[in-house]
Amino acid sequence: MPSRSGTTLQLSHTIHSNAPLGSLVPINLPIVSKIFNSNRAERIPYNCPLASVKTQKSRYVPPEVVAIRVPLLQLTNFQINDWPELSAKSFAVMVLMLPPDSARKWRPHELELVEVVADQVAVALSHAAILEESMRARDMLMEQNIALDAARREAEMAICARNDFLAVMNHEMQTPMRAIVSLSSLLLETKLTAEQRIMVETILKSSDLLATLSNDVLDISKLGDGSLELDIAPFNLHTMFSDVVNLIKPVAAFKRLSVMVHLSPELPTGAIGDHKRLMQIILNVVGNSIKFTKEGHISITASMAKPDSLRDPYAPDFHPVLSDGSFYLAVQVKDTGCGISPQDLPHTFTKFAHSQNATSKWHSSNGLGLALSKRFVGLMQGNIWLQSEGVGKGCTTTFFVKLGIADKPNAILQRIAPPVKPNQGAQGQNSSMIYGNMAAPPFYQSSV
Ligand code: ADP
């Protein structure tokens, strides 16, 4: 059999022979090459290293010796179809000798038999090699599985530890944060110099940003490990938009921006979905429009999307499916703000990617809002995208989410929605709300 290094042949098995097991023969001998290059049984001299018959007596009749190569086949050899002409990478050598002093000669049919036997030995050796290889592969797989299992358990523990840490930090930060926000709001209602007002407003803005960032980081990590689930319940869609407007009104008024909200008449009043997360998406998108618009207006349109209008030019693989009792809510937010350059547009949904871009460096940005919104929209089986003609040309954000239609809207609405005051607008069938340039409210609320 060839040695591991492939430079020698080693005597590994003998039958009725006293030749010493383990003896070595260099593989580069001409006689070895001759045997390797032939598929027939070759006669070899009795005293060549392969036969190594030593003359013991003077009138000795040496035996006639033949040698034949035995192809050593491996699994890879069986991927080609031309068995038995397989191109083996290495060979063993089978050496057969007739009894000495018998004057017997190899006859042709005996040599043919030797060739057949060599083929049989090759098959047996290849079976053994395949078995050995598959057992080695099985052992390796088992080891890999154990290692993978351990790595998975470690990763799960690390994720749990990270989430616990984030949840505790988030919770512990809420109390001082709330105190800072409410006390600074109260401070703004007192008599302050212009300089002091700017300082308190900055404290308020920064603490609000910090609170949003801490919540966003917690959400992103929960979304990352799949532990965030939607809280599905019936809610009043119209009231939700009215709440959105109430929340953004102070900031829009402060920046003297007009906000127009149009709810299309066919939009159902009662919907089933995660009301809190939907509101978070709308506030993220509208908040961006307010943040990135210096002057002009922002329009929010909500309607029931038709399946053929759900095409997203940037996501041709998105195939919305409508089932009974569900509909797609389409929300479009247009602004006349700073817009987005074509090179920044593809990165808007990559978390943290935008905190350094041209527009963001003038604003308090962390680049998490849209990344989060996209994940929430995905959980709601929808899609979101941004369009902009370029810098200075405004921006349009559109998203779709799948919601259920509440089957008993009146009962649900009475249970979940407090009565909306007439000046809050959004309860009617054809709701449209316009907020013109408003005077700054007595306190600054930067919750968007
Ligand atoms: P953030 O606003 O905190 O940076 P977002 O993920 O909400 O994070 O937004 C990512 C980026 O997309 C923003 O930094 C901004 O560059 C761009 N962007 C989003 N909405 C608008 C918009 N209405 N007008 C201009 N740029 C926008």
Side-chain angles (χ1 to χ4, degrees):
M1 297 291 282
S3 62
R4 267 181 203 286
S5 64
T7 54
T8 49
L9 287 170
Q10 186 174 34
L11 184 62
S12 60
H13 298 89
T14 57
I15 303 172
H16 306 308
S17 163
N18 298 327
L21 283 180
S23 57
L24 298 170
V25 175
I27 220 156
N28 56 3
L29 293 181
I31 187 78
V32 176
S33 311
K34 186 180 167 203
I35 297 163
F36 279 3
N37 289 329
S38 158
N39 57 0
R40 315 297 308 264
E42 298 289 334
R43 284 191 175 78
I44 60 169
Y46 74 93
N47 54 358
C48 88
L50 278 171
S52 64
V53 174
K54 299 205 171 41
T55 317
Q56 290 141 341
K57 22 185 184 155
S58 51
R59 295 183 66 224
Y60 176 73
V61 183
E64 197 172 52
V65 184
V66 291
I68 183 162
R69 69 179 193 187
V70 179
L72 293 176
L73 301 169
Q74 289 175 343
L75 215 50
T76 46
N77 294 105
F78 293 89
Q79 283 159 4
I80 48 174
N81 300 323
D82 51 351
W83 170 268
E85 297 301 320
L86 298 173
S87 53
K89 285 208 179 73
S90 59
F91 298 95
V93 174
M94 195 163 76
V95 181
L96 299 107
M97 52 186 84
L98 292 170
D101 285 335
S102 66
R104 269 244 294 121
K105 300 268 180 239
W106 286 103
R107 279 173 273 170
H109 75 270
E110 285 175 333
L111 289 181
E112 271 171 32
L113 202 67
V114 166
E115 282 156 18
V116 173
V117 168
D119 280 348
Q120 295 296 324
V121 172
V123 171
L125 286 178
S126 74
H127 283 177
I130 290 165
L131 193 72
E132 203 177 279
E133 227 169 284
S134 59
M135 277 167 65
R136 209 177 315 123
R138 192 200 56 185
D139 290 351
M140 235 167 68
L141 265 179
M142 270 166 64
E143 272 169 31
Q144 279 174 355
N145 277 349
I146 292 169
L148 268 178
D149 214 42
R152 184 180 52 85
R153 261 184 281 121
E154 260 175 44
E156 277 172 4
M157 271 161 63
I159 290 171
C160 272
R162 184 197 62 188
N163 282 359
D164 285 354
F165 171 76
L166 285 175
V168 169
M169 284 304 288
N170 184 273
H171 183 258
E172 296 304 309
M173 275 164 72
Q174 293 296 327
T175 319
M177 207 83 79
R178 258 187 237 121
I180 297 170
V181 171
S182 46
L183 289 177
S184 345
S185 297
L186 283 176
L187 204 58
L188 274 179
E189 288 187 57
T190 63
K191 216 166 159 240
L192 296 170
T193 65
E195 212 177 30
Q196 285 169 331
R197 184 164 291 278
I198 291 174
M199 285 197 262
V200 179
E201 277 172 5
T202 312
I203 295 176
L204 200 51
K205 263 196 224 173
S206 313
S207 45
D208 188 62
L209 185 77
L210 206 57
T212 314
L213 181 65
S214 141
N215 284 332
D216 283 359
V217 167
L218 188 66
D219 279 351
I220 278 277
S221 92
K222 281 186 179 172
L223 277 165
D225 67 23
S227 64
L228 194 137
E229 283 176 8
L230 294 179
D231 187 8
I232 308 287
F235 66 97
N236 186 320
L237 204 52
H238 290 232
T239 310
M240 190 196 68
F241 278 99
S242 173
D243 289 345
V244 167
V245 169
N246 282 336
L247 277 167
I248 60 169
K249 206 160 56 174
V251 197
F254 186 77
K255 292 187 80 175
R256 301 189 186 283
L257 299 169
S258 65
V259 179
M260 286 163 275
V261 182
H262 176 72
L263 305 188
S264 94
E266 85 281 357
L267 201 65
T269 318
I272 301 171
D274 190 331
H275 157 253
K276 218 177 100 196
R277 299 301 185 190
L278 180 57
M279 191 144 152
Q280 197 176 338
I281 302 169
I282 301 173
L283 286 176
N284 268 338
V285 171
V286 178
N288 275 346
S289 283
I290 292 178
K291 187 158 67 177
F292 295 111
T293 305
K294 253 192 186 157
E295 54 187 20
H297 59 267
I298 290 149
S299 75
I300 306 168
T301 314
S303 59
M304 215 166 145
K306 319 265 174 309
D308 52 332
S309 69
L310 298 172
R311 306 305 317 154
D312 167 4
Y314 303 106
D317 300 339
F318 175 62
H319 300 294
V321 185
L322 271 178
S323 48
D324 277 355
S326 69
F327 71 102
Y328 273 94
L329 167 74
V331 179
Q332 192 164 66
V333 180
K334 272 188 187 182
D335 63 56
T336 54
C338 64
I340 309 176
S341 68
Q343 62 268 31
D344 285 337
L345 206 53
H347 307 292
T348 42
F349 292 100
T350 312
K351 58 183 170 186
F352 302 118
H354 260 256
S355 43
Q356 292 308 316
N357 77 10
T359 48
S360 306
K361 65 182 172 199
W362 304 108
H363 302 87
S364 42
S365 296
N366 57 49
L368 273 182
L370 284 181
L372 258 180
S373 300
K374 193 172 176 73
R375 300 281 191 85
F376 287 141
V377 166
L379 283 179
M380 297 181 195
Q381 297 173 50
N383 205 7
I384 180 166
W385 67 92
L386 261 78
Q387 286 160 301
S388 176
E389 298 284 302
V391 176
K393 297 192 175 158
C395 181
T396 303
T397 311
T398 312
F399 74 85
F400 298 104
V401 286
K402 194 175 179 181
L403 297 174
I405 302 175
D407 49 352
K408 287 184 194 146
N410 286 341
I412 291 159
L413 298 181
Q414 272 167 16
R415 186 157 45 85
I416 61 171
V420 180
K421 291 182 202 134
N423 65 357
Q424 281 183 301
Q427 181 79 322
Q429 257 293 298
N430 188 356
S431 304
S432 207
M433 302 171 256
I434 299 187
Y435 293 86
N437 293 354
M438 291 171 277
F443 68 90
Y444 180 87
Q445 185 183 352
S446 66
S447 50
V448 277

PDB file of all heavy atoms in Angstrom, residues 284 288-289 291-292 335 338-340 348 354 357 359-360 364-371 386 395 397, ligand 1:
ATOM      1  N   ASN A 284     -43.104  58.729  13.135  1.00  0.00           N
ATOM      2  CA  ASN A 284     -41.726  58.737  12.617  1.00  0.00           C
ATOM      3  C   ASN A 284     -41.667  59.462  11.284  1.00  0.00           C
ATOM      4  O   ASN A 284     -40.817  60.327  11.058  1.00  0.00           O
ATOM      5  CB  ASN A 284     -41.232  57.301  12.381  1.00  0.00           C
ATOM      6  CG  ASN A 284     -40.510  56.743  13.584  1.00  0.00           C
ATOM      7  OD1 ASN A 284     -40.024  57.483  14.416  1.00  0.00           O
ATOM      8  ND2 ASN A 284     -40.450  55.427  13.680  1.00  0.00           N
ATOM      9  N   ASN A 288     -40.258  63.209  10.624  1.00  0.00           N
ATOM     10  CA  ASN A 288     -39.157  63.506   9.697  1.00  0.00           C
ATOM     11  C   ASN A 288     -39.525  64.678   8.802  1.00  0.00           C
ATOM     12  O   ASN A 288     -38.708  65.569   8.566  1.00  0.00           O
ATOM     13  CB  ASN A 288     -38.858  62.290   8.815  1.00  0.00           C
ATOM     14  CG  ASN A 288     -37.909  61.327   9.496  1.00  0.00           C
ATOM     15  OD1 ASN A 288     -37.285  61.669  10.498  1.00  0.00           O
ATOM     16  ND2 ASN A 288     -37.806  60.119   8.979  1.00  0.00           N
ATOM     17  N   SER A 289     -40.767  64.665   8.289  1.00  0.00           N
ATOM     18  CA  SER A 289     -41.183  65.753   7.399  1.00  0.00           C
ATOM     19  C   SER A 289     -41.099  67.090   8.128  1.00  0.00           C
ATOM     20  O   SER A 289     -40.639  68.085   7.562  1.00  0.00           O
ATOM     21  CB  SER A 289     -42.623  65.524   6.906  1.00  0.00           C
ATOM     22  OG  SER A 289     -42.593  64.555   5.900  1.00  0.00           O
ATOM     23  N   LYS A 291     -39.246  67.725  10.755  1.00  0.00           N
ATOM     24  CA  LYS A 291     -37.836  67.988  11.095  1.00  0.00           C
ATOM     25  C   LYS A 291     -37.069  68.550   9.898  1.00  0.00           C
ATOM     26  O   LYS A 291     -36.259  69.449  10.023  1.00  0.00           O
ATOM     27  CB  LYS A 291     -37.199  66.677  11.570  1.00  0.00           C
ATOM     28  CG  LYS A 291     -35.805  66.819  12.106  1.00  0.00           C
ATOM     29  CD  LYS A 291     -35.437  65.664  13.029  1.00  0.00           C
ATOM     30  CE  LYS A 291     -35.345  64.340  12.302  1.00  0.00           C
ATOM     31  NZ  LYS A 291     -34.920  63.250  13.195  1.00  0.00           N
ATOM     32  N   PHE A 292     -37.349  67.981   8.704  1.00  0.00           N
ATOM     33  CA  PHE A 292     -36.552  68.365   7.531  1.00  0.00           C
ATOM     34  C   PHE A 292     -37.223  69.436   6.664  1.00  0.00           C
ATOM     35  O   PHE A 292     -36.817  69.643   5.537  1.00  0.00           O
ATOM     36  CB  PHE A 292     -36.227  67.123   6.691  1.00  0.00           C
ATOM     37  CG  PHE A 292     -35.347  66.139   7.418  1.00  0.00           C
ATOM     38  CD1 PHE A 292     -35.834  64.905   7.828  1.00  0.00           C
ATOM     39  CD2 PHE A 292     -34.029  66.457   7.726  1.00  0.00           C
ATOM     40  CE1 PHE A 292     -35.019  64.006   8.514  1.00  0.00           C
ATOM     41  CE2 PHE A 292     -33.208  65.557   8.414  1.00  0.00           C
ATOM     42  CZ  PHE A 292     -33.709  64.338   8.814  1.00  0.00           C
ATOM     43  N   ASP A 335     -43.847  66.513   1.830  1.00  0.00           N
ATOM     44  CA  ASP A 335     -43.409  67.775   2.446  1.00  0.00           C
ATOM     45  C   ASP A 335     -42.663  68.631   1.433  1.00  0.00           C
ATOM     46  O   ASP A 335     -42.314  68.175   0.345  1.00  0.00           O
ATOM     47  CB  ASP A 335     -42.534  67.491   3.685  1.00  0.00           C
ATOM     48  CG  ASP A 335     -41.249  66.746   3.359  1.00  0.00           C
ATOM     49  OD1 ASP A 335     -40.473  67.239   2.524  1.00  0.00           O
ATOM     50  OD2 ASP A 335     -41.025  65.661   3.941  1.00  0.00           O
ATOM     51  N   CYS A 338     -36.194  69.795   2.740  1.00  0.00           N
ATOM     52  CA  CYS A 338     -34.868  69.820   2.103  1.00  0.00           C
ATOM     53  C   CYS A 338     -34.649  68.687   1.096  1.00  0.00           C
ATOM     54  O   CYS A 338     -33.690  68.702   0.339  1.00  0.00           O
ATOM     55  CB  CYS A 338     -33.779  69.787   3.168  1.00  0.00           C
ATOM     56  SG  CYS A 338     -33.796  68.256   4.107  1.00  0.00           S
ATOM     57  N   GLY A 339     -35.535  67.691   1.077  1.00  0.00           N
ATOM     58  CA  GLY A 339     -35.406  66.595   0.107  1.00  0.00           C
ATOM     59  C   GLY A 339     -34.188  65.717   0.399  1.00  0.00           C
ATOM     60  O   GLY A 339     -33.474  65.926   1.385  1.00  0.00           O
ATOM     61  N   ILE A 340     -33.991  64.737  -0.465  1.00  0.00           N
ATOM     62  CA  ILE A 340     -32.861  63.801  -0.269  1.00  0.00           C
ATOM     63  C   ILE A 340     -32.117  63.660  -1.592  1.00  0.00           C
ATOM     64  O   ILE A 340     -32.737  63.538  -2.656  1.00  0.00           O
ATOM     65  CB  ILE A 340     -33.366  62.408   0.182  1.00  0.00           C
ATOM     66  CG1 ILE A 340     -34.308  62.535   1.386  1.00  0.00           C
ATOM     67  CG2 ILE A 340     -32.208  61.493   0.536  1.00  0.00           C
ATOM     68  CD1 ILE A 340     -34.931  61.233   1.827  1.00  0.00           C
ATOM     69  N   THR A 348     -31.614  55.350   3.221  1.00  0.00           N
ATOM     70  CA  THR A 348     -32.492  55.937   4.243  1.00  0.00           C
ATOM     71  C   THR A 348     -33.029  54.914   5.241  1.00  0.00           C
ATOM     72  O   THR A 348     -33.362  55.263   6.350  1.00  0.00           O
ATOM     73  CB  THR A 348     -33.681  56.679   3.595  1.00  0.00           C
ATOM     74  OG1 THR A 348     -34.156  55.893   2.538  1.00  0.00           O
ATOM     75  CG2 THR A 348     -33.304  58.049   3.114  1.00  0.00           C
ATOM     76  N   HIS A 354     -27.673  57.291   8.429  1.00  0.00           N
ATOM     77  CA  HIS A 354     -27.930  58.658   8.034  1.00  0.00           C
ATOM     78  C   HIS A 354     -27.500  59.713   9.027  1.00  0.00           C
ATOM     79  O   HIS A 354     -27.640  60.894   8.767  1.00  0.00           O
ATOM     80  CB  HIS A 354     -29.414  58.829   7.719  1.00  0.00           C
ATOM     81  CG  HIS A 354     -29.624  58.795   6.252  1.00  0.00           C
ATOM     82  ND1 HIS A 354     -29.870  59.904   5.516  1.00  0.00           N
ATOM     83  CD2 HIS A 354     -29.546  57.762   5.396  1.00  0.00           C
ATOM     84  CE1 HIS A 354     -29.963  59.561   4.264  1.00  0.00           C
ATOM     85  NE2 HIS A 354     -29.779  58.264   4.160  1.00  0.00           N
ATOM     86  N   ASN A 357     -25.115  62.089   7.187  1.00  0.00           N
ATOM     87  CA  ASN A 357     -25.266  62.601   5.830  1.00  0.00           C
ATOM     88  C   ASN A 357     -25.496  64.114   5.808  1.00  0.00           C
ATOM     89  O   ASN A 357     -25.631  64.757   6.849  1.00  0.00           O
ATOM     90  CB  ASN A 357     -26.338  61.831   5.048  1.00  0.00           C
ATOM     91  CG  ASN A 357     -27.734  62.229   5.440  1.00  0.00           C
ATOM     92  OD1 ASN A 357     -27.944  63.199   6.155  1.00  0.00           O
ATOM     93  ND2 ASN A 357     -28.694  61.474   4.974  1.00  0.00           N
ATOM     94  N   THR A 359     -27.921  66.232   5.007  1.00  0.00           N
ATOM     95  CA  THR A 359     -29.075  66.897   5.625  1.00  0.00           C
ATOM     96  C   THR A 359     -29.090  66.671   7.124  1.00  0.00           C
ATOM     97  O   THR A 359     -29.382  67.570   7.898  1.00  0.00           O
ATOM     98  CB  THR A 359     -30.400  66.385   5.024  1.00  0.00           C
ATOM     99  OG1 THR A 359     -30.354  64.971   5.012  1.00  0.00           O
ATOM    100  CG2 THR A 359     -30.634  66.919   3.647  1.00  0.00           C
ATOM    101  N   SER A 360     -28.736  65.420   7.538  1.00  0.00           N
ATOM    102  CA  SER A 360     -28.910  65.060   8.941  1.00  0.00           C
ATOM    103  C   SER A 360     -27.973  65.788   9.866  1.00  0.00           C
ATOM    104  O   SER A 360     -28.256  65.948  11.030  1.00  0.00           O
ATOM    105  CB  SER A 360     -28.717  63.565   9.125  1.00  0.00           C
ATOM    106  OG  SER A 360     -29.562  62.886   8.261  1.00  0.00           O
ATOM    107  N   SER A 364     -31.061  66.875  14.738  1.00  0.00           N
ATOM    108  CA  SER A 364     -30.755  65.845  15.726  1.00  0.00           C
ATOM    109  C   SER A 364     -31.226  64.503  15.184  1.00  0.00           C
ATOM    110  O   SER A 364     -32.380  64.140  15.304  1.00  0.00           O
ATOM    111  CB  SER A 364     -31.474  66.163  17.036  1.00  0.00           C
ATOM    112  OG  SER A 364     -32.777  66.588  16.764  1.00  0.00           O
ATOM    113  N   SER A 365     -30.330  63.775  14.508  1.00  0.00           N
ATOM    114  CA  SER A 365     -30.713  62.531  13.847  1.00  0.00           C
ATOM    115  C   SER A 365     -29.965  61.357  14.440  1.00  0.00           C
ATOM    116  O   SER A 365     -28.820  61.481  14.851  1.00  0.00           O
ATOM    117  CB  SER A 365     -30.337  62.596  12.368  1.00  0.00           C
ATOM    118  OG  SER A 365     -31.075  63.608  11.757  1.00  0.00           O
ATOM    119  N   ASN A 366     -30.634  60.203  14.475  1.00  0.00           N
ATOM    120  CA  ASN A 366     -29.903  59.003  14.860  1.00  0.00           C
ATOM    121  C   ASN A 366     -30.033  57.917  13.805  1.00  0.00           C
ATOM    122  O   ASN A 366     -29.394  56.870  13.888  1.00  0.00           O
ATOM    123  CB  ASN A 366     -30.371  58.494  16.227  1.00  0.00           C
ATOM    124  CG  ASN A 366     -31.854  58.229  16.246  1.00  0.00           C
ATOM    125  OD1 ASN A 366     -32.382  57.579  15.360  1.00  0.00           O
ATOM    126  ND2 ASN A 366     -32.530  58.749  17.249  1.00  0.00           N
ATOM    127  N   GLY A 367     -30.872  58.163  12.789  1.00  0.00           N
ATOM    128  CA  GLY A 367     -30.991  57.200  11.695  1.00  0.00           C
ATOM    129  C   GLY A 367     -31.616  55.876  12.099  1.00  0.00           C
ATOM    130  O   GLY A 367     -31.328  54.839  11.522  1.00  0.00           O
ATOM    131  N   LEU A 368     -32.488  55.891  13.105  1.00  0.00           N
ATOM    132  CA  LEU A 368     -33.147  54.648  13.530  1.00  0.00           C
ATOM    133  C   LEU A 368     -34.620  54.617  13.142  1.00  0.00           C
ATOM    134  O   LEU A 368     -35.187  53.550  12.936  1.00  0.00           O
ATOM    135  CB  LEU A 368     -33.070  54.511  15.056  1.00  0.00           C
ATOM    136  CG  LEU A 368     -31.848  53.851  15.647  1.00  0.00           C
ATOM    137  CD1 LEU A 368     -31.973  53.770  17.157  1.00  0.00           C
ATOM    138  CD2 LEU A 368     -31.662  52.463  15.088  1.00  0.00           C
ATOM    139  N   GLY A 369     -35.228  55.813  13.055  1.00  0.00           N
ATOM    140  CA  GLY A 369     -36.688  55.915  12.862  1.00  0.00           C
ATOM    141  C   GLY A 369     -37.190  55.135  11.666  1.00  0.00           C
ATOM    142  O   GLY A 369     -38.112  54.320  11.782  1.00  0.00           O
ATOM    143  N   LEU A 370     -36.575  55.345  10.484  1.00  0.00           N
ATOM    144  CA  LEU A 370     -37.077  54.679   9.276  1.00  0.00           C
ATOM    145  C   LEU A 370     -36.741  53.197   9.282  1.00  0.00           C
ATOM    146  O   LEU A 370     -37.531  52.380   8.817  1.00  0.00           O
ATOM    147  CB  LEU A 370     -36.520  55.353   8.017  1.00  0.00           C
ATOM    148  CG  LEU A 370     -37.179  56.681   7.652  1.00  0.00           C
ATOM    149  CD1 LEU A 370     -36.560  57.249   6.385  1.00  0.00           C
ATOM    150  CD2 LEU A 370     -38.686  56.538   7.458  1.00  0.00           C
ATOM    151  N   ALA A 371     -35.561  52.846   9.852  1.00  0.00           N
ATOM    152  CA  ALA A 371     -35.194  51.420   9.932  1.00  0.00           C
ATOM    153  C   ALA A 371     -36.239  50.686  10.767  1.00  0.00           C
ATOM    154  O   ALA A 371     -36.715  49.604  10.399  1.00  0.00           O
ATOM    155  CB  ALA A 371     -33.810  51.269  10.548  1.00  0.00           C
ATOM    156  N   LEU A 386     -39.420  55.860   0.082  1.00  0.00           N
ATOM    157  CA  LEU A 386     -39.295  57.322   0.028  1.00  0.00           C
ATOM    158  C   LEU A 386     -39.030  57.738  -1.406  1.00  0.00           C
ATOM    159  O   LEU A 386     -38.353  57.022  -2.139  1.00  0.00           O
ATOM    160  CB  LEU A 386     -38.091  57.768   0.869  1.00  0.00           C
ATOM    161  CG  LEU A 386     -38.358  58.280   2.271  1.00  0.00           C
ATOM    162  CD1 LEU A 386     -38.599  57.107   3.193  1.00  0.00           C
ATOM    163  CD2 LEU A 386     -37.166  59.062   2.774  1.00  0.00           C
ATOM    164  N   CYS A 395     -39.936  65.832  -0.150  1.00  0.00           N
ATOM    165  CA  CYS A 395     -39.842  64.376  -0.033  1.00  0.00           C
ATOM    166  C   CYS A 395     -41.243  63.792   0.142  1.00  0.00           C
ATOM    167  O   CYS A 395     -42.119  64.424   0.728  1.00  0.00           O
ATOM    168  CB  CYS A 395     -38.974  64.085   1.195  1.00  0.00           C
ATOM    169  SG  CYS A 395     -38.725  62.357   1.502  1.00  0.00           S
ATOM    170  N   THR A 397     -43.075  60.245   1.458  1.00  0.00           N
ATOM    171  CA  THR A 397     -42.936  58.910   2.048  1.00  0.00           C
ATOM    172  C   THR A 397     -44.293  58.209   1.916  1.00  0.00           C
ATOM    173  O   THR A 397     -45.326  58.782   2.257  1.00  0.00           O
ATOM    174  CB  THR A 397     -42.549  59.004   3.538  1.00  0.00           C
ATOM    175  OG1 THR A 397     -41.449  59.896   3.655  1.00  0.00           O
ATOM    176  CG2 THR A 397     -42.188  57.656   4.107  1.00  0.00           C
TER     177      THR A 397
HETATM  178  P1  ADP B   1     -33.361  60.231  11.670  1.00  0.00           P
HETATM  179  O1  ADP B   1     -34.400  61.142  11.130  1.00  0.00           O
HETATM  180  O2  ADP B   1     -33.400  60.111  13.132  1.00  0.00           O
HETATM  181  O3  ADP B   1     -31.983  60.470  11.119  1.00  0.00           O
HETATM  182  P2  ADP B   1     -34.693  58.243  10.138  1.00  0.00           P
HETATM  183  O4  ADP B   1     -34.384  56.803  10.045  1.00  0.00           O
HETATM  184  O5  ADP B   1     -36.071  58.618  10.506  1.00  0.00           O
HETATM  185  O6  ADP B   1     -33.669  58.775  11.188  1.00  0.00           O
HETATM  186  O7  ADP B   1     -34.353  58.903   8.769  1.00  0.00           O
HETATM  187  C1  ADP B   1     -33.181  58.533   8.082  1.00  0.00           C
HETATM  188  C2  ADP B   1     -32.723  59.657   7.193  1.00  0.00           C
HETATM  189  O8  ADP B   1     -33.573  59.758   6.048  1.00  0.00           O
HETATM  190  C3  ADP B   1     -32.723  61.027   7.825  1.00  0.00           C
HETATM  191  O9  ADP B   1     -31.558  61.247   8.586  1.00  0.00           O
HETATM  192  C4  ADP B   1     -32.797  61.931   6.597  1.00  0.00           C
HETATM  193  O10 ADP B   1     -31.510  62.105   6.064  1.00  0.00           O
HETATM  194  C5  ADP B   1     -33.618  61.103   5.611  1.00  0.00           C
HETATM  195  N1  ADP B   1     -35.028  61.543   5.612  1.00  0.00           N
HETATM  196  C6  ADP B   1     -36.080  60.860   6.103  1.00  0.00           C
HETATM  197  N2  ADP B   1     -37.236  61.540   5.897  1.00  0.00           N
HETATM  198  C7  ADP B   1     -36.892  62.678   5.258  1.00  0.00           C
HETATM  199  C8  ADP B   1     -37.632  63.809   4.784  1.00  0.00           C
HETATM  200  N3  ADP B   1     -38.948  63.899   4.896  1.00  0.00           N
HETATM  201  N4  ADP B   1     -36.943  64.807   4.168  1.00  0.00           N
HETATM  202  C9  ADP B   1     -35.591  64.709   4.021  1.00  0.00           C
HETATM  203  N5  ADP B   1     -34.832  63.686   4.468  1.00  0.00           N
HETATM  204  C10 ADP B   1     -35.472  62.688   5.078  1.00  0.00           C
END
